[in-house]
Amino acid sequence: MQRPVVVHPSTTILERPEYARYVRHVRENGTVGFHRPELMPQCRAALRLCTNLEGFTWNDDSAEGTDEGDFLAYLEILQTLPLRELVIRTFYGLSDTVWAKLQDFTGLAKVSIWCMEGKPRILQGWSEKLGATLTHLELGRCSGVPASILISVLSYLPLLRALRLKGAPSAAILEILTFLPNLETLDTEYFGAAASRYDDVPAANLRELTVRTSSVHIQGFQQLWPWVRRLTPRTSLESFTLNAFSTQGEALIPRPFILDMAMTHKDTLKHFTADTTQMTLKDIECLCTVFPRLETLSCSTVWSPETAAYAEVVQKANNLRAFRMNINNWIPSKKPKANEAVETVVRDMMLREGSVLRVIGMGSVVYRGQWVCKKAEEGPNRVEFEITSNVVQDMWD
């Protein structure tokens, strides 16, 4: 078996140490020590020279596990540097020795921990030391952690502006939002309508909300819509992303949910993404109407042979710049006439009076429009509107 070739920037740093002062973020991988253990001393030596370092990322995706000695050695050095961001992504979890070492770090503004195995590490015993500085937090493994413990840990972090949780109990999210007044970005999961003992209104004014959920049947999403509304009770939301999966087909976003959200966020919402959730063309038209500031829209819908219907749904979307449709039952035709009909509608949508739409995705084909200057061999140059298309997935016959 051929030995992997490992090229590491530490070689350059050691040869030209003056470059180290410009390094702001270092990304190290556990496989370097596995394949080229003789490189580790120079990697550590180069890291010591990075006196202006702000961020460090450690990746170790080996399923066999690697020696934590390399990571511990890096942590020793990082404690002497002005570190503000720490990102850890490993297949195996973090040992008690590593976790104890991590809790010595203070003054961090961002912490991200993603481990597929081992104990869930949710900053228990560490969050108290980070409360005065931490603004961004990602915890990739909260499954099995009692809601009371997760709530207690996060209560020490009032300055959080961005929070991403995987596996956190749905009932705990509402309570967490009541003591995070600065939170603007939330990425979390929904596991069903678990009873919540907390009825207080969230203190957070979310600007970006991402919800991930799945269900064995479509009816499992019925309590999702009021739950989302409770997370955003005041006018603030600018971006909403929903990743919802069902084993029995795509769920349909109910029209009342769209209208209810518009009552609160019609003047702020700019980005709406629901690629895995079904919407009718009428619902899309409603969305474009009740959210006049909408700039990007990505959703799933059903193919209509009346291609002009797609132009009608965005008639009132004068701020829409990108419109992508995941059309389940449409396969791009290789017949020129069929493609010409679609391209004609795309051009009409982009050139409609008042339109700023320049990116349209239909299934696997993405159309992009722009004004270009055409040089003429004789006479003045002319400006034309040009549309290009490319396939983002394999085209099927």
Side-chain angles (χ1 to χ4, degrees), residues 6 50 87 124 145 197 199 203 216 266 307 317 328 387 389:
V6 178
C50 302
V87 178
Q124 192 172 9
V145 177
R197 61 181 176 84
D199 295 325
V216 294
K266 67 177 181 180
T307 52
N328 299 327
I387 295 178
S389 63

Side-chain angles (χ1 to χ4, degrees), residues 190 192-193 213-224:
Y190 176 77
T213 186
S214 60
S215 177
V216 294
H217 52 82
I218 297 176
Q219 288 74 21
F221 300 126
Q222 290 180 354
Q223 297 302 316
L224 168 65

Side-chain angles (χ1 to χ4, degrees), residues 129 210 232 258 284 325:
K129 304 175 184 179
T210 299
T232 57
I258 298 174
I284 297 174
M325 294 169 284

